[in-house]
Amino acid sequence: MTTSFPMNAGDGPYSYFKNSHLQREVLDNSKEMVRDAITRKLDIKKIMLSSSNTLCIADFGCSIGPNTFIAMQHVVQSLKEKYHNTNILEFQVFFNDHVTNDFNALFRSLPIDRSYYAFGVPGTFHGKLFPSRSIHFAHCSTAIHWLSKCPEELLDEKSPAWNKGLIHYVGTSNVEVLNAYVAQFEKDMEMFLDARAEEIVEGGMMVIISPQSSECLVKFFGSSLMDLVSEVSRQHKRVRNKLKLSAGRLSTPMKLECGVATLTIV
């Protein structure tokens, strides 16, 4: 079994619940871009052809709140505005994170006035979690940068990529360390995108929001996604699916930048 390291549980002083203000800021500052993507690019009529009047939404890497609730309510509201006739629409929201995530804390803090049905889906988002063609809108915020595992060569003292016990690559001059992280990220992103391409309905959408600290990293993140989407597209021609990607960037008052990537199944 793969070891997982979820965010700190509960609602104590060291919990994720009490220490996720920067993640909240990223969400708040990306709201307009998410709403704009839904308004301009999501074909409600097309995705509703493959379902009843229920729209299924998944948040990958939800942790224990409260940010996931804020994000999901914003998505639901944007979908309602897009569809106009909200009386016949119902929403199912699937909250996903590691099996060891504190789902008890998550569901204890569910908003009472929520306008959706809530479900928990334990498991790593680096693999398939839902039946094929079952998700209409996928969301992932400040989570995609977490690797599925530490590259093994970083832990081997005899390896050229040995990272001397460090848990990051910031400031390293060892190109082998950088290459090890990049290679693992590419593998993880390929698994992530491959799974979502199977799960999302034709015409559905996925929004990925990732915090970045510099323009260089934003460009790297965007170009990496472009390459990986192209690769997944080639692999899925046999099932006539193709991912389209558009990426944007915005800056918050704290100079913290976030990349917002929108993918649709066509």
PDB file of all heavy atoms in Angstrom, residues 141-172:
ATOM      1  N   SER A 141      -7.625  22.364  -6.596  1.00  0.00           N
ATOM      2  CA  SER A 141      -6.985  23.625  -6.216  1.00  0.00           C
ATOM      3  C   SER A 141      -5.883  23.388  -5.189  1.00  0.00           C
ATOM      4  O   SER A 141      -6.084  22.686  -4.188  1.00  0.00           O
ATOM      5  CB  SER A 141      -8.029  24.589  -5.637  1.00  0.00           C
ATOM      6  OG  SER A 141      -7.431  25.795  -5.218  1.00  0.00           O
ATOM      7  N   THR A 142      -4.717  23.969  -5.442  1.00  0.00           N
ATOM      8  CA  THR A 142      -3.537  23.903  -4.566  1.00  0.00           C
ATOM      9  C   THR A 142      -3.273  22.479  -4.077  1.00  0.00           C
ATOM     10  O   THR A 142      -2.998  22.256  -2.909  1.00  0.00           O
ATOM     11  CB  THR A 142      -3.675  24.860  -3.358  1.00  0.00           C
ATOM     12  OG1 THR A 142      -4.856  24.526  -2.603  1.00  0.00           O
ATOM     13  CG2 THR A 142      -3.761  26.298  -3.806  1.00  0.00           C
ATOM     14  N   ALA A 143      -3.352  21.524  -4.996  1.00  0.00           N
ATOM     15  CA  ALA A 143      -3.107  20.123  -4.634  1.00  0.00           C
ATOM     16  C   ALA A 143      -2.269  19.392  -5.665  1.00  0.00           C
ATOM     17  O   ALA A 143      -1.587  18.417  -5.335  1.00  0.00           O
ATOM     18  CB  ALA A 143      -4.442  19.391  -4.444  1.00  0.00           C
ATOM     19  N   ILE A 144      -2.308  19.851  -6.910  1.00  0.00           N
ATOM     20  CA  ILE A 144      -1.685  19.097  -7.992  1.00  0.00           C
ATOM     21  C   ILE A 144      -0.160  19.051  -7.867  1.00  0.00           C
ATOM     22  O   ILE A 144       0.499  18.193  -8.459  1.00  0.00           O
ATOM     23  CB  ILE A 144      -2.087  19.693  -9.363  1.00  0.00           C
ATOM     24  CG1 ILE A 144      -1.888  18.672 -10.474  1.00  0.00           C
ATOM     25  CG2 ILE A 144      -1.315  20.972  -9.651  1.00  0.00           C
ATOM     26  CD1 ILE A 144      -2.802  17.507 -10.392  1.00  0.00           C
ATOM     27  N   HIS A 145       0.425  19.947  -7.082  1.00  0.00           N
ATOM     28  CA  HIS A 145       1.878  19.979  -6.947  1.00  0.00           C
ATOM     29  C   HIS A 145       2.399  18.887  -6.006  1.00  0.00           C
ATOM     30  O   HIS A 145       3.607  18.631  -5.971  1.00  0.00           O
ATOM     31  CB  HIS A 145       2.331  21.347  -6.430  1.00  0.00           C
ATOM     32  CG  HIS A 145       1.704  21.748  -5.134  1.00  0.00           C
ATOM     33  ND1 HIS A 145       0.402  22.185  -5.061  1.00  0.00           N
ATOM     34  CD2 HIS A 145       2.182  21.774  -3.870  1.00  0.00           C
ATOM     35  CE1 HIS A 145       0.109  22.463  -3.792  1.00  0.00           C
ATOM     36  NE2 HIS A 145       1.172  22.215  -3.056  1.00  0.00           N
ATOM     37  N   TRP A 146       1.505  18.231  -5.268  1.00  0.00           N
ATOM     38  CA  TRP A 146       1.945  17.154  -4.386  1.00  0.00           C
ATOM     39  C   TRP A 146       2.247  15.904  -5.203  1.00  0.00           C
ATOM     40  O   TRP A 146       1.410  15.442  -5.962  1.00  0.00           O
ATOM     41  CB  TRP A 146       0.869  16.845  -3.341  1.00  0.00           C
ATOM     42  CG  TRP A 146       0.655  17.939  -2.332  1.00  0.00           C
ATOM     43  CD1 TRP A 146      -0.417  18.779  -2.264  1.00  0.00           C
ATOM     44  CD2 TRP A 146       1.531  18.305  -1.268  1.00  0.00           C
ATOM     45  NE1 TRP A 146      -0.261  19.654  -1.219  1.00  0.00           N
ATOM     46  CE2 TRP A 146       0.929  19.399  -0.595  1.00  0.00           C
ATOM     47  CE3 TRP A 146       2.768  17.828  -0.825  1.00  0.00           C
ATOM     48  CZ2 TRP A 146       1.515  20.009   0.502  1.00  0.00           C
ATOM     49  CZ3 TRP A 146       3.355  18.449   0.267  1.00  0.00           C
ATOM     50  CH2 TRP A 146       2.732  19.515   0.919  1.00  0.00           C
ATOM     51  N   LEU A 147       3.435  15.361  -5.020  1.00  0.00           N
ATOM     52  CA  LEU A 147       3.818  14.149  -5.746  1.00  0.00           C
ATOM     53  C   LEU A 147       3.193  12.913  -5.106  1.00  0.00           C
ATOM     54  O   LEU A 147       2.873  12.903  -3.919  1.00  0.00           O
ATOM     55  CB  LEU A 147       5.340  13.997  -5.758  1.00  0.00           C
ATOM     56  CG  LEU A 147       6.150  15.116  -6.419  1.00  0.00           C
ATOM     57  CD1 LEU A 147       7.626  14.807  -6.316  1.00  0.00           C
ATOM     58  CD2 LEU A 147       5.732  15.314  -7.866  1.00  0.00           C
ATOM     59  N   SER A 148       3.040  11.873  -5.913  1.00  0.00           N
ATOM     60  CA  SER A 148       2.495  10.623  -5.394  1.00  0.00           C
ATOM     61  C   SER A 148       3.495   9.926  -4.477  1.00  0.00           C
ATOM     62  O   SER A 148       3.121   9.155  -3.595  1.00  0.00           O
ATOM     63  CB  SER A 148       2.112   9.690  -6.541  1.00  0.00           C
ATOM     64  OG  SER A 148       3.267   9.324  -7.296  1.00  0.00           O
ATOM     65  N   LYS A 149       4.783  10.196  -4.698  1.00  0.00           N
ATOM     66  CA  LYS A 149       5.823   9.614  -3.861  1.00  0.00           C
ATOM     67  C   LYS A 149       7.110  10.394  -4.065  1.00  0.00           C
ATOM     68  O   LYS A 149       7.251  11.152  -5.034  1.00  0.00           O
ATOM     69  CB  LYS A 149       6.049   8.143  -4.207  1.00  0.00           C
ATOM     70  CG  LYS A 149       6.579   7.918  -5.616  1.00  0.00           C
ATOM     71  CD  LYS A 149       6.840   6.443  -5.873  1.00  0.00           C
ATOM     72  CE  LYS A 149       7.441   6.221  -7.261  1.00  0.00           C
ATOM     73  NZ  LYS A 149       7.725   4.778  -7.495  1.00  0.00           N
ATOM     74  N   CYS A 150       8.044  10.199  -3.157  1.00  0.00           N
ATOM     75  CA  CYS A 150       9.362  10.819  -3.303  1.00  0.00           C
ATOM     76  C   CYS A 150      10.189   9.990  -4.289  1.00  0.00           C
ATOM     77  O   CYS A 150      10.246   8.767  -4.163  1.00  0.00           O
ATOM     78  CB  CYS A 150      10.070  10.878  -1.954  1.00  0.00           C
ATOM     79  SG  CYS A 150      11.748  11.574  -2.029  1.00  0.00           S
ATOM     80  N   PRO A 151      10.802  10.616  -5.280  1.00  0.00           N
ATOM     81  CA  PRO A 151      11.659   9.857  -6.204  1.00  0.00           C
ATOM     82  C   PRO A 151      12.718   9.080  -5.421  1.00  0.00           C
ATOM     83  O   PRO A 151      13.436   9.639  -4.594  1.00  0.00           O
ATOM     84  CB  PRO A 151      12.290  10.958  -7.069  1.00  0.00           C
ATOM     85  CG  PRO A 151      11.318  12.091  -7.021  1.00  0.00           C
ATOM     86  CD  PRO A 151      10.743  12.051  -5.637  1.00  0.00           C
ATOM     87  N   GLU A 152      12.821   7.791  -5.685  1.00  0.00           N
ATOM     88  CA  GLU A 152      13.682   6.920  -4.889  1.00  0.00           C
ATOM     89  C   GLU A 152      15.156   7.318  -4.959  1.00  0.00           C
ATOM     90  O   GLU A 152      15.895   7.168  -3.982  1.00  0.00           O
ATOM     91  CB  GLU A 152      13.511   5.477  -5.364  1.00  0.00           C
ATOM     92  CG  GLU A 152      12.118   4.917  -5.127  1.00  0.00           C
ATOM     93  CD  GLU A 152      11.972   3.501  -5.633  1.00  0.00           C
ATOM     94  OE1 GLU A 152      12.973   2.961  -6.152  1.00  0.00           O
ATOM     95  OE2 GLU A 152      10.874   2.932  -5.501  1.00  0.00           O
ATOM     96  N   GLU A 153      15.585   7.844  -6.115  1.00  0.00           N
ATOM     97  CA  GLU A 153      16.997   8.172  -6.258  1.00  0.00           C
ATOM     98  C   GLU A 153      17.426   9.310  -5.333  1.00  0.00           C
ATOM     99  O   GLU A 153      18.614   9.454  -5.015  1.00  0.00           O
ATOM    100  CB  GLU A 153      17.329   8.515  -7.716  1.00  0.00           C
ATOM    101  CG  GLU A 153      16.475   9.612  -8.312  1.00  0.00           C
ATOM    102  CD  GLU A 153      15.260   9.064  -9.037  1.00  0.00           C
ATOM    103  OE1 GLU A 153      14.618   8.145  -8.500  1.00  0.00           O
ATOM    104  OE2 GLU A 153      14.970   9.563 -10.131  1.00  0.00           O
ATOM    105  N   LEU A 154      16.471  10.110  -4.866  1.00  0.00           N
ATOM    106  CA  LEU A 154      16.808  11.212  -3.965  1.00  0.00           C
ATOM    107  C   LEU A 154      17.214  10.708  -2.589  1.00  0.00           C
ATOM    108  O   LEU A 154      17.881  11.411  -1.834  1.00  0.00           O
ATOM    109  CB  LEU A 154      15.615  12.163  -3.819  1.00  0.00           C
ATOM    110  CG  LEU A 154      15.103  12.838  -5.088  1.00  0.00           C
ATOM    111  CD1 LEU A 154      13.939  13.757  -4.753  1.00  0.00           C
ATOM    112  CD2 LEU A 154      16.211  13.629  -5.781  1.00  0.00           C
ATOM    113  N   LEU A 155      16.815   9.493  -2.260  1.00  0.00           N
ATOM    114  CA  LEU A 155      17.077   8.923  -0.938  1.00  0.00           C
ATOM    115  C   LEU A 155      18.300   8.016  -0.918  1.00  0.00           C
ATOM    116  O   LEU A 155      18.720   7.569   0.149  1.00  0.00           O
ATOM    117  CB  LEU A 155      15.853   8.128  -0.466  1.00  0.00           C
ATOM    118  CG  LEU A 155      14.517   8.881  -0.493  1.00  0.00           C
ATOM    119  CD1 LEU A 155      13.381   7.945  -0.086  1.00  0.00           C
ATOM    120  CD2 LEU A 155      14.566  10.098   0.405  1.00  0.00           C
ATOM    121  N   ASP A 156      18.867   7.764  -2.077  1.00  0.00           N
ATOM    122  CA  ASP A 156      20.000   6.846  -2.205  1.00  0.00           C
ATOM    123  C   ASP A 156      21.311   7.642  -2.172  1.00  0.00           C
ATOM    124  O   ASP A 156      21.606   8.430  -3.075  1.00  0.00           O
ATOM    125  CB  ASP A 156      19.884   6.080  -3.515  1.00  0.00           C
ATOM    126  CG  ASP A 156      20.980   5.036  -3.688  1.00  0.00           C
ATOM    127  OD1 ASP A 156      21.867   4.926  -2.801  1.00  0.00           O
ATOM    128  OD2 ASP A 156      20.958   4.329  -4.721  1.00  0.00           O
ATOM    129  N   GLU A 157      22.097   7.450  -1.120  1.00  0.00           N
ATOM    130  CA  GLU A 157      23.336   8.205  -0.963  1.00  0.00           C
ATOM    131  C   GLU A 157      24.333   7.918  -2.081  1.00  0.00           C
ATOM    132  O   GLU A 157      25.236   8.716  -2.332  1.00  0.00           O
ATOM    133  CB  GLU A 157      23.975   7.890   0.391  1.00  0.00           C
ATOM    134  CG  GLU A 157      23.154   8.365   1.586  1.00  0.00           C
ATOM    135  CD  GLU A 157      23.891   8.148   2.883  1.00  0.00           C
ATOM    136  OE1 GLU A 157      25.119   7.936   2.846  1.00  0.00           O
ATOM    137  OE2 GLU A 157      23.250   8.188   3.949  1.00  0.00           O
ATOM    138  N   LYS A 158      24.179   6.801  -2.761  1.00  0.00           N
ATOM    139  CA  LYS A 158      25.089   6.457  -3.849  1.00  0.00           C
ATOM    140  C   LYS A 158      24.605   6.996  -5.197  1.00  0.00           C
ATOM    141  O   LYS A 158      25.298   6.861  -6.205  1.00  0.00           O
ATOM    142  CB  LYS A 158      25.246   4.935  -3.926  1.00  0.00           C
ATOM    143  CG  LYS A 158      25.857   4.319  -2.667  1.00  0.00           C
ATOM    144  CD  LYS A 158      25.977   2.809  -2.802  1.00  0.00           C
ATOM    145  CE  LYS A 158      26.587   2.201  -1.545  1.00  0.00           C
ATOM    146  NZ  LYS A 158      26.700   0.710  -1.650  1.00  0.00           N
ATOM    147  N   SER A 159      23.420   7.576  -5.203  1.00  0.00           N
ATOM    148  CA  SER A 159      22.844   8.084  -6.449  1.00  0.00           C
ATOM    149  C   SER A 159      23.340   9.497  -6.742  1.00  0.00           C
ATOM    150  O   SER A 159      23.540  10.298  -5.823  1.00  0.00           O
ATOM    151  CB  SER A 159      21.322   8.092  -6.363  1.00  0.00           C
ATOM    152  OG  SER A 159      20.756   8.820  -7.437  1.00  0.00           O
ATOM    153  N   PRO A 160      23.567   9.836  -8.025  1.00  0.00           N
ATOM    154  CA  PRO A 160      23.940  11.213  -8.386  1.00  0.00           C
ATOM    155  C   PRO A 160      22.849  12.223  -8.003  1.00  0.00           C
ATOM    156  O   PRO A 160      23.119  13.419  -7.892  1.00  0.00           O
ATOM    157  CB  PRO A 160      24.103  11.150  -9.908  1.00  0.00           C
ATOM    158  CG  PRO A 160      24.318   9.719 -10.218  1.00  0.00           C
ATOM    159  CD  PRO A 160      23.548   8.945  -9.197  1.00  0.00           C
ATOM    160  N   ALA A 161      21.630  11.705  -7.786  1.00  0.00           N
ATOM    161  CA  ALA A 161      20.511  12.580  -7.452  1.00  0.00           C
ATOM    162  C   ALA A 161      20.231  12.623  -5.949  1.00  0.00           C
ATOM    163  O   ALA A 161      19.193  13.138  -5.531  1.00  0.00           O
ATOM    164  CB  ALA A 161      19.254  12.122  -8.198  1.00  0.00           C
ATOM    165  N   TRP A 162      21.152  12.088  -5.150  1.00  0.00           N
ATOM    166  CA  TRP A 162      20.932  12.126  -3.702  1.00  0.00           C
ATOM    167  C   TRP A 162      20.735  13.569  -3.251  1.00  0.00           C
ATOM    168  O   TRP A 162      21.543  14.448  -3.560  1.00  0.00           O
ATOM    169  CB  TRP A 162      22.117  11.496  -2.973  1.00  0.00           C
ATOM    170  CG  TRP A 162      21.933  11.485  -1.479  1.00  0.00           C
ATOM    171  CD1 TRP A 162      20.842  11.063  -0.790  1.00  0.00           C
ATOM    172  CD2 TRP A 162      22.881  11.919  -0.494  1.00  0.00           C
ATOM    173  NE1 TRP A 162      21.030  11.189   0.564  1.00  0.00           N
ATOM    174  CE2 TRP A 162      22.273  11.721   0.777  1.00  0.00           C
ATOM    175  CE3 TRP A 162      24.174  12.445  -0.553  1.00  0.00           C
ATOM    176  CZ2 TRP A 162      22.923  12.035   1.976  1.00  0.00           C
ATOM    177  CZ3 TRP A 162      24.821  12.743   0.635  1.00  0.00           C
ATOM    178  CH2 TRP A 162      24.202  12.541   1.886  1.00  0.00           C
ATOM    179  N   ASN A 163      19.671  13.802  -2.479  1.00  0.00           N
ATOM    180  CA  ASN A 163      19.300  15.171  -2.098  1.00  0.00           C
ATOM    181  C   ASN A 163      19.738  15.533  -0.684  1.00  0.00           C
ATOM    182  O   ASN A 163      19.245  16.506  -0.109  1.00  0.00           O
ATOM    183  CB  ASN A 163      17.783  15.361  -2.241  1.00  0.00           C
ATOM    184  CG  ASN A 163      17.417  16.813  -2.465  1.00  0.00           C
ATOM    185  OD1 ASN A 163      18.241  17.622  -2.894  1.00  0.00           O
ATOM    186  ND2 ASN A 163      16.175  17.169  -2.158  1.00  0.00           N
ATOM    187  N   LYS A 164      20.604  14.744  -0.098  1.00  0.00           N
ATOM    188  CA  LYS A 164      21.213  15.044   1.202  1.00  0.00           C
ATOM    189  C   LYS A 164      20.176  15.259   2.298  1.00  0.00           C
ATOM    190  O   LYS A 164      20.346  16.096   3.189  1.00  0.00           O
ATOM    191  CB  LYS A 164      22.120  16.272   1.100  1.00  0.00           C
ATOM    192  CG  LYS A 164      23.240  16.099   0.075  1.00  0.00           C
ATOM    193  CD  LYS A 164      24.081  17.361  -0.048  1.00  0.00           C
ATOM    194  CE  LYS A 164      25.178  17.169  -1.092  1.00  0.00           C
ATOM    195  NZ  LYS A 164      26.007  18.395  -1.268  1.00  0.00           N
ATOM    196  N   GLY A 165      19.099  14.511   2.225  1.00  0.00           N
ATOM    197  CA  GLY A 165      18.086  14.579   3.270  1.00  0.00           C
ATOM    198  C   GLY A 165      17.084  15.704   3.135  1.00  0.00           C
ATOM    199  O   GLY A 165      16.164  15.819   3.952  1.00  0.00           O
ATOM    200  N   LEU A 166      17.228  16.542   2.127  1.00  0.00           N
ATOM    201  CA  LEU A 166      16.296  17.657   1.943  1.00  0.00           C
ATOM    202  C   LEU A 166      14.974  17.154   1.364  1.00  0.00           C
ATOM    203  O   LEU A 166      14.926  16.123   0.688  1.00  0.00           O
ATOM    204  CB  LEU A 166      16.907  18.708   1.006  1.00  0.00           C
ATOM    205  CG  LEU A 166      18.191  19.382   1.494  1.00  0.00           C
ATOM    206  CD1 LEU A 166      18.718  20.341   0.437  1.00  0.00           C
ATOM    207  CD2 LEU A 166      17.937  20.123   2.804  1.00  0.00           C
ATOM    208  N   ILE A 167      13.901  17.901   1.607  1.00  0.00           N
ATOM    209  CA  ILE A 167      12.583  17.510   1.118  1.00  0.00           C
ATOM    210  C   ILE A 167      12.128  18.390  -0.037  1.00  0.00           C
ATOM    211  O   ILE A 167      10.961  18.367  -0.421  1.00  0.00           O
ATOM    212  CB  ILE A 167      11.529  17.560   2.244  1.00  0.00           C
ATOM    213  CG1 ILE A 167      11.404  18.997   2.784  1.00  0.00           C
ATOM    214  CG2 ILE A 167      11.884  16.582   3.353  1.00  0.00           C
ATOM    215  CD1 ILE A 167      10.251  19.159   3.759  1.00  0.00           C
ATOM    216  N   HIS A 168      13.036  19.181  -0.601  1.00  0.00           N
ATOM    217  CA  HIS A 168      12.685  20.060  -1.714  1.00  0.00           C
ATOM    218  C   HIS A 168      13.911  20.245  -2.599  1.00  0.00           C
ATOM    219  O   HIS A 168      15.004  19.748  -2.312  1.00  0.00           O
ATOM    220  CB  HIS A 168      12.201  21.418  -1.202  1.00  0.00           C
ATOM    221  CG  HIS A 168      13.221  22.138  -0.354  1.00  0.00           C
ATOM    222  ND1 HIS A 168      14.289  22.817  -0.900  1.00  0.00           N
ATOM    223  CD2 HIS A 168      13.349  22.251   0.990  1.00  0.00           C
ATOM    224  CE1 HIS A 168      15.020  23.340   0.057  1.00  0.00           C
ATOM    225  NE2 HIS A 168      14.483  23.002   1.224  1.00  0.00           N
ATOM    226  N   TYR A 169      13.740  20.953  -3.700  1.00  0.00           N
ATOM    227  CA  TYR A 169      14.834  21.171  -4.636  1.00  0.00           C
ATOM    228  C   TYR A 169      15.240  22.644  -4.725  1.00  0.00           C
ATOM    229  O   TYR A 169      16.081  23.007  -5.537  1.00  0.00           O
ATOM    230  CB  TYR A 169      14.448  20.678  -6.033  1.00  0.00           C
ATOM    231  CG  TYR A 169      13.232  21.350  -6.609  1.00  0.00           C
ATOM    232  CD1 TYR A 169      13.323  22.569  -7.256  1.00  0.00           C
ATOM    233  CD2 TYR A 169      11.979  20.758  -6.492  1.00  0.00           C
ATOM    234  CE1 TYR A 169      12.200  23.193  -7.765  1.00  0.00           C
ATOM    235  CE2 TYR A 169      10.849  21.368  -7.002  1.00  0.00           C
ATOM    236  CZ  TYR A 169      10.966  22.583  -7.638  1.00  0.00           C
ATOM    237  OH  TYR A 169       9.851  23.198  -8.140  1.00  0.00           O
ATOM    238  N   VAL A 170      14.628  23.490  -3.900  1.00  0.00           N
ATOM    239  CA  VAL A 170      14.889  24.925  -3.972  1.00  0.00           C
ATOM    240  C   VAL A 170      16.356  25.212  -3.665  1.00  0.00           C
ATOM    241  O   VAL A 170      16.892  24.780  -2.649  1.00  0.00           O
ATOM    242  CB  VAL A 170      13.998  25.693  -2.976  1.00  0.00           C
ATOM    243  CG1 VAL A 170      14.329  27.189  -3.009  1.00  0.00           C
ATOM    244  CG2 VAL A 170      12.539  25.479  -3.305  1.00  0.00           C
ATOM    245  N   GLY A 171      17.013  25.934  -4.554  1.00  0.00           N
ATOM    246  CA  GLY A 171      18.393  26.349  -4.342  1.00  0.00           C
ATOM    247  C   GLY A 171      19.441  25.309  -4.697  1.00  0.00           C
ATOM    248  O   GLY A 171      20.636  25.587  -4.589  1.00  0.00           O
ATOM    249  N   THR A 172      19.004  24.132  -5.134  1.00  0.00           N
ATOM    250  CA  THR A 172      19.992  23.108  -5.464  1.00  0.00           C
ATOM    251  C   THR A 172      20.700  23.424  -6.778  1.00  0.00           C
ATOM    252  O   THR A 172      20.121  24.010  -7.690  1.00  0.00           O
ATOM    253  CB  THR A 172      19.338  21.717  -5.578  1.00  0.00           C
ATOM    254  OG1 THR A 172      20.351  20.743  -5.813  1.00  0.00           O
ATOM    255  CG2 THR A 172      18.340  21.665  -6.710  1.00  0.00           C
TER     256      THR A 172
END
